[in-house]
Amino acid sequence: MRNLYLFAFLFLLWNCQHKNDIPIAIKLHDNWEFKGQDTLNWQQAKVPGNIYSDLISNQIIKDPFIKTNEDSVQWVSKKDWIYKTNFKLSKKVLAKKNIALEFEGLDTYTTIFLNDSLLGKTDNAFRKWTFNIKKFVKNENELRIVFRNTDAIETNKETKNPYQLPEGKRVYTRKAQFQYGWDWGPKLNTSGIWKDVFIKAWNDFKINNVYIKNSKITETKAELELTINADKITDEALSYEVFVNSKWYSESKNAIIPIQISNPKLWWTHNLGEPYLYDIKVVVKKDKQIVDSISTKYGIRTINLITKKDSIGESFYFQLNGKSVYMKGANYIPQNSFQNKVTNAHYEKIVNDAVDANMNMLRVWGGGIYENDIFYNLCDEKGILVWQDFMFACAMYPGENAFLNNIKIEAEQQVKRLRNHASIALWCGNNENSEGWKRWGWQANRTKKEKQDIWNDYLAVFDSILPNVVKKYSQTSYWKTSPKFGRGNKKYKTEGDAHDWWIWHDAYPFEHLQNNVPRFMSEFGFQAFPSFEVINYINQKDSIDLQTDAIKSHQKHARGFQLINEYMKRDYKIPTKNEDYVYVSQLLQAKGIVMGIEAQRRTKPYNMGTLYWQLNDCWPAISWSSLDYFGNWKALHYKVKNAYKNTLISIEEKQQKYGVYIVNDNFNSIQDTLTLKIIDFYGKEIWSSTKVLSIEPNSSKQVYNIPNTTIDKTSCVLVSVFGKAESNYFFEKPKNLKLPKGTINQQISKTNNGFIISLKSNVLQKDVFLYTKTKGHFSENFFDLLPNESKTIFYKSDANTLTDLQIKTLNSIY
């Protein structure tokens, strides 16, 4: 019996030891408090978070997103702040050989104390910071973090630099640059614990990350190499077991493990195939007992940026799994000035909105943040490629050794974090830094030496540090700067990617986009007002008012209102009612951007991508976005949904003739009948033609030429149908159309998850806009309702009734 008890005791002891060998991770998100360094009272704080959110929660400041409150909170970023928490650690944790305090993100200049002992300082919001606390930690602990205001530190650094760097002191601080104010966002320079905080405890082994890279991929076999990167302080032999899709694959004594998958399912963008992801898990054992494990999803694919000299200039396109893919998408900015306000539901919605609008690429712009893991996970899962900027934008940055080393560590951490994502298509060094230096007047009144020194610092980062990091730690392509050439250089149309801001900033007409197509359009855009909901939120009113100080404060471009009005005069009649003006501003934005998208897609394969500016907003604003601050779709997002379909019908007017193009982004040919007809606004057919066509894969082709006719162009429309692709082309600008008055008959029926809305009119109704205060989303909006044809719309909503549906059209406001 004594032997039985002894055996049971030894078994229990062995089992406990096995459990104790597994690393422990504890989130430190509770019991946080904050105060100003020169104040006495501690207030409750939320972690992750930031100082503005905490001040709002404690009713110390007003919400800067409404009215003109932004102006009254500028003092916040000029103060130093202190955060603290108390936490306990169990004997089990304290017994571990290694205990670390890990900050996923601190914004930005901090001094950290644990139990009154100095742990260290931080100076980069984009870096993970880890401190060994084994000798400082005990059962009961106090963690205190002092946040220095960036302004004081930046002023000191600027004073020490012999050169004044464009654009301002922000260049000295590694944090989100848009927080210093942009032409679409507020000046809300946050500080705080903006990401997760962990206690990590382990004994002899802890996995840090896993890197999976392609060795060779064919249709019949994918050869991969998996590398485990870990903290290891034991010489004892370890075994590494690999599971693929929950099935045991292999066991290895080496941390570098070859994997072969027969007949692999490749990862594709959602518009071209299935974004298939393999589940890969590694279990690490010592003496047959688990000491750690890690799981990841992995999409097997190759993605390369192809830049080759040709007879025109130099190509710029992406090859996915060896096939050229036309990129359709938008530029993405942070979803909120206060990152802690962005929930998983927000990420899910915005990526779904991109997919629903037939996008296959998003560019994460360089003045924001490296996004949270969930963003990239969703892009992997839903088949969206990501053009990822490093976080440098519209400025020249210093080149001192400490700053360069800081950047190098930041880049290494971020590249390692994101390299397994199938969605990552490109790392780009910066946004518009090179263009700014070469054509924005930044070199004026500088000596030759000064200009050379500043440019050398530029090259140190973007021509050396960043490409070397990308090459060393990933298999992803690197592009130095976007755009390659500024629009003042004629090569902007024939080489690399382009930002065409002749539209908007230089007030060129939208038609400019039709005749000036680059190899890849990575930025172009136009502003519009947001939804009625956002406008009322800004004003804190129930009626639309565009003349308030609040609305003016949420327009961050100096000429924004002027440019909207100037462009509107060219194409539309200027409405006198505020509601109508908002509506037409959205039609105007959509008209210009879709005109550019279609022109670019028609020239395929000369042009192989278009990303408009911008997808979303970081606060309630009048901006270039297609999704407003509340996630409502503007007219642009609805119309882009059609313009980005794999099969597109596009009409080009040239020399008094109308060319009909069909663009096919699919990898298979399409055989169908093209139906063309010109009808008047009452439905009478004036001309028609049909033609059976076979459209080659991955192509754009003019398939028909309509000669100029004697029709009254102000009173008719060209209706084109090819399979599921449809197009309504108007021969005149909207302001010149003789739109008839007519009623729209509607029927609404309830479904399990919303409402079905049926519409019909005996005349053409131009740009039908449906709106309601009942929360939900219309499947289609801002569409043309053809005469005597029924159209069915689905309104997804949790509401039980829909009694306030309203309809606005150009017919009704003209």
Side-chain angles (χ1 to χ4, degrees):
M1 182 62 73
R2 289 177 64 185
N3 288 340
L4 184 60
Y5 283 138
L6 179 61
F7 175 80
F9 172 76
L10 291 173
F11 178 82
L12 182 63
L13 182 66
W14 171 82
N15 195 44
C16 288
Q17 181 63 39
H18 152 56
K19 289 182 178 178
N20 285 341
D21 279 345
I22 297 176
I24 297 171
I26 304 167
K27 277 188 177 180
L28 289 187
H29 288 182
D30 298 329
N31 307 316
W32 283 94
E33 296 178 305
F34 79 101
K35 74 179 188 71
Q37 193 166 41
D38 55 357
T39 59
L40 296 176
N41 296 329
W42 290 94
Q43 307 282 346
Q44 283 190 333
K46 185 177 180 181
V47 170
N50 65 79
I51 187 59
Y52 283 96
S53 295
D54 289 331
L55 290 169
I56 294 168
S57 297
N58 286 277
Q59 299 182 331
I60 296 171
I61 62 171
K62 294 179 180 179
D63 186 347
F65 281 16
I66 63 176
K67 297 188 175 180
T68 59
N69 292 345
E70 177 199 356
D71 296 338
S72 66
V73 300
Q74 294 306 307
W75 61 271
V76 174
S77 62
K78 293 179 172 59
K79 284 178 63 73
D80 296 344
W81 299 93
I82 305 174
Y83 279 71
K84 74 171 183 178
T85 188
N86 294 286
F87 64 93
K88 293 183 179 181
L89 293 180
S90 67
K91 291 181 180 179
K92 179 181 177 182
V93 173
L94 292 171
K96 292 288 187 181
K97 296 177 183 178
N98 301 281
I99 307 175
L101 176 62
E102 189 174 281
F103 297 94
E104 296 283 346
L106 290 170
D107 181 11
T108 296
Y109 297 109
T110 75
T111 306
I112 304 167
F113 300 89
L114 179 61
N115 300 327
D116 292 326
S117 294
L118 175 64
L119 289 184
K121 297 185 177 184
T122 73
D123 60 358
N124 190 325
F126 300 129
R127 282 175 57 181
K128 177 189 292 186
W129 297 89
T130 303
F131 300 94
N132 183 349
I133 61 171
K134 176 68 176 178
K135 67 180 180 180
F136 301 112
V137 79
K138 52 190 179 182
N139 175 240
E140 295 186 1
N141 305 274
E142 182 187 77
L143 175 61
R144 183 162 46 93
I145 308 172
V146 179
F147 289 85
R148 291 285 311 281
N149 76 81
T150 58
D151 187 67
I153 293 174
E154 289 162 359
T155 299
N156 181 52
K157 291 187 176 187
E158 186 180 49
T159 302
K160 292 180 179 179
N161 193 331
Y163 308 137
Q164 189 87 14
L165 295 177
E167 286 268 285
K169 294 184 291 186
R170 65 177 171 86
V171 300
Y172 294 96
T173 299
R174 294 307 299 140
K175 64 171 296 176
Q177 301 285 272
F178 82 102
Q179 293 179 349
Y180 292 80
W182 224 265
D183 56 5
W184 38 258
K187 183 179 180 181
L188 294 169
N189 196 355
T190 63
S191 63
I193 306 165
W194 75 292
K195 290 196 170 188
D196 290 330
V197 185
F198 289 97
I199 296 287
K200 300 277 183 78
W202 72 99
N203 281 329
D204 299 324
F205 183 87
K206 177 177 70 70
I207 296 175
N208 291 323
N209 61 69
V210 60
Y211 176 31
I212 305 170
K213 65 179 181 180
N214 303 328
S215 297
K216 185 178 181 182
I217 297 176
T218 65
E219 287 186 2
T220 57
K221 185 168 63 176
E223 298 178 16
L224 312 176
E225 182 182 271
L226 183 151
T227 301
I228 296 289
N229 299 294
D231 289 325
K232 181 181 178 184
I233 58 171
T234 177
D235 293 329
E236 296 182 63
L238 300 174
S239 67
Y240 303 86
E241 292 188 19
V242 178
F243 296 80
V244 178
N245 288 351
S246 301
K247 295 181 179 179
W248 185 89
Y249 173 79
S250 69
E251 183 175 352
S252 172
K253 300 298 182 184
N254 196 322
I256 301 176
I257 307 163
I259 298 176
Q260 292 188 2
I261 296 177
S262 299
N263 302 313
K265 293 184 177 181
L266 299 184
W267 185 94
W268 291 96
T269 54
H270 70 95
N271 66 313
L272 296 173
E274 181 185 3
Y276 187 84
L277 297 172
Y278 285 85
D279 290 309
I280 297 179
K281 182 177 182 179
V282 180
V283 178
V284 184
K285 294 181 178 180
K286 180 176 69 175
D287 300 328
K288 298 184 179 181
Q289 304 305 316
I290 297 174
V291 293
D292 206 354
S293 65
I294 189 169
S295 298
T296 188
K297 289 184 179 292
Y298 187 74
I300 298 175
R301 60 93 180 102
T302 59
I303 181 76
N304 295 291
L305 173 64
I306 308 299
T307 56
K308 288 184 177 178
K309 295 291 184 183
D310 55 27
S311 60
I312 306 164
E314 186 177 88
S315 68
F316 189 105
Y317 65 94
F318 291 89
Q319 278 191 345
L320 178 61
N321 299 322
K323 294 191 174 185
S324 303
V325 175
Y326 193 96
M327 297 304 165
K328 300 170 286 192
N331 286 262
Y332 170 95
I333 66 170
Q335 294 185 56
N336 200 300
S337 293
F338 307 138
Q339 180 61 24
N340 58 300
K341 300 294 185 182
V342 185
T343 65
N344 289 351
H346 287 117
Y347 282 112
E348 186 88 29
K349 182 184 184 305
I350 203 166
V351 176
N352 281 339
D353 286 344
V355 172
D356 290 347
N358 297 307
M359 299 181 187
N360 61 6
M361 175 174 273
L362 294 175
R363 175 184 175 223
V364 178
W365 172 74
I369 62 172
Y370 304 99
E371 266 300 344
N372 288 353
D373 291 341
I374 184 175
F375 173 80
Y376 304 100
N377 291 340
L378 287 167
C379 289
D380 291 348
E381 174 190 325
K382 297 176 185 295
I384 295 283
L385 286 167
V386 175
W387 166 321
Q388 178 68 54
D389 281 3
F390 284 101
M391 292 300 117
F392 301 88
C394 303
M396 300 301 284
Y397 290 82
E400 69 211 35
N401 289 336
F403 189 82
L404 296 181
N405 186 60
N406 199 355
I407 288 170
K408 182 172 181 288
I409 297 170
E410 168 194 323
E412 288 174 349
Q413 289 184 358
Q414 295 297 342
V415 170
K416 288 178 181 179
R417 179 173 72 96
L418 300 179
R419 61 189 172 186
N420 287 334
H421 286 283
S423 56
I424 296 293
L426 181 71
W427 280 99
C428 179
N430 67 76
N431 174 78
E432 297 182 345
N433 295 12
S434 175
E435 178 184 5
W437 182 247
K438 292 174 181 176
R439 69 173 300 272
W440 293 356
W442 290 353
Q443 297 186 51
N445 302 318
R446 298 183 189 271
T447 65
K448 183 178 180 180
K449 181 181 185 305
E450 182 177 352
K451 287 188 283 188
Q452 190 60 56
D453 287 348
I454 293 172
W455 186 245
N456 286 342
D457 290 343
Y458 173 92
L459 294 177
V461 177
F462 304 109
D463 208 36
S464 181
I465 292 173
L466 297 184
N468 289 341
V469 167
V470 172
K471 184 177 181 180
K472 181 176 181 180
Y473 295 108
S474 79
Q475 294 180 300
T476 308
S477 298
Y478 174 82
W479 186 246
K480 187 188 302 183
T481 184
S482 179
K484 181 175 183 179
F485 297 108
R487 62 187 185 275
N489 189 320
K490 291 183 179 179
K491 290 184 178 180
Y492 93 97
K493 290 194 292 185
T494 59
E495 295 186 25
D497 68 313
H499 295 189
D500 193 328
W501 287 107
W502 295 114
I503 303 300
W504 183 263
H505 288 300
D506 292 287
Y508 279 32
F510 290 140
E511 288 75 15
H512 158 86
L513 294 169
Q514 295 181 310
N515 302 313
N516 294 275
V517 176
R519 307 305 292 267
F520 192 105
M521 185 74 88
S522 49
E523 272 192 32
F524 74 115
F526 194 86
Q527 279 196 1
F529 280 87
S531 64
F532 298 155
E533 181 186 13
V534 170
I535 291 170
N536 287 341
Y537 178 79
I538 292 170
N539 284 329
Q540 296 292 289
K541 290 183 176 182
D542 290 330
S543 59
I544 303 300
D545 188 348
L546 304 183
Q547 281 73 47
T548 65
D549 289 338
I551 291 297
K552 292 174 185 175
S553 74
H554 287 248
Q555 165 62 273
K556 293 301 182 182
H557 191 277
R559 294 162 53 231
F561 292 134
Q562 172 195 333
L563 286 167
I564 291 173
N565 207 63
E566 183 179 329
Y567 273 84
M568 194 180 291
K569 283 180 181 178
R570 298 173 187 174
D571 287 334
Y572 294 85
K573 297 174 184 176
I574 304 292
T576 56
K577 295 180 180 178
N578 284 336
E579 274 195 11
D580 296 344
Y581 195 91
V582 171
Y583 160 64
V584 173
S585 82
Q586 291 197 16
L587 296 180
L588 176 68
Q589 178 193 39
K591 183 179 188 295
I593 300 310
V594 168
M595 184 183 290
I597 289 171
E598 290 196 16
Q600 292 147 29
R601 292 190 67 186
R602 285 196 299 264
T603 65
K604 177 183 181 176
Y606 173 81
N607 170 279
M608 284 299 289
T610 177
L611 310 175
Y612 65 83
W613 184 270
Q614 66 203 68
L615 179 66
N616 59 302
D617 282 324
C618 68
W619 81 318
I622 299 91
S623 80
W624 294 265
S625 70
S626 62
L627 301 172
D628 70 23
Y629 173 66
F630 287 139
N632 298 307
W633 288 29
K634 295 183 185 177
L636 174 58
H637 210 82
Y638 279 104
K639 299 212 177 219
V640 157
K641 182 177 181 177
N642 182 67
Y644 277 166
K645 285 181 179 178
N646 271 11
T647 308
L648 172 73
I649 303 172
S650 181
I651 313 298
E652 180 184 34
E653 181 184 1
K654 255 187 181 179
Q655 298 175 343
Q656 301 298 309
K657 294 182 180 180
Y658 300 92
V660 181
Y661 287 75
I662 295 181
V663 182
N664 178 19
D665 286 345
N666 299 289
F667 293 147
N668 56 282
S669 60
I670 304 174
Q671 289 80 36
D672 219 312
T673 300
L674 172 67
T675 301
L676 303 169
K677 62 179 180 178
I678 298 175
I679 60 173
D680 68 16
F681 293 161
Y682 296 91
K684 181 182 177 182
E685 186 175 295
I686 300 171
W687 172 89
S688 66
S689 179
T690 60
K691 187 177 183 181
V692 177
L693 298 171
S694 179
I695 307 300
E696 293 181 359
N698 213 7
S699 68
S700 171
K701 184 180 180 181
Q702 183 177 344
V703 295
Y704 205 98
N705 206 24
I706 302 174
N708 192 22
T709 63
T710 57
I711 58 172
D712 180 1
K713 295 179 181 178
T714 65
S715 301
C716 61
V717 59
L718 169 63
V719 180
S720 309
V721 179
F722 180 73
K724 294 182 179 180
E726 299 177 356
S727 167
N728 297 327
Y729 178 82
F730 292 87
F731 298 93
E732 283 284 347
K733 292 183 175 183
K735 69 179 182 181
N736 297 327
L737 296 177
K738 297 175 182 176
L739 298 172
K741 296 295 182 184
T743 59
I744 298 177
N745 299 315
Q746 57 177 279
Q747 289 184 333
I748 302 174
S749 57
K750 183 77 177 73
T751 67
N752 290 335
N753 56 349
F755 304 88
I756 292 175
I757 304 166
S758 297
L759 304 174
K760 190 173 183 179
S761 177
N762 60 358
V763 301
L764 179 136
Q765 298 284 350
K766 184 87 174 79
D767 293 313
V768 177
F769 170 40
L770 308 176
Y771 59 105
T772 171
K773 290 185 178 179
T774 303
K775 293 294 292 183
H777 176 70
F778 292 102
S779 59
E780 293 183 67
N781 216 339
F782 301 95
F783 53 84
D784 298 326
L785 182 61
L786 295 177
N788 306 310
E789 293 188 12
S790 296
K791 190 169 186 69
T792 300
I793 308 298
F794 177 64
Y795 188 61
K796 186 176 181 180
S797 176
D798 294 330
N800 294 319
T801 59
L802 181 60
T803 58
D804 67 336
L805 178 68
Q806 297 185 65
I807 302 176
K808 196 180 290 290
T809 69
L810 278 183
N811 307 55
S812 67
I813 71 168
Y814 279 179

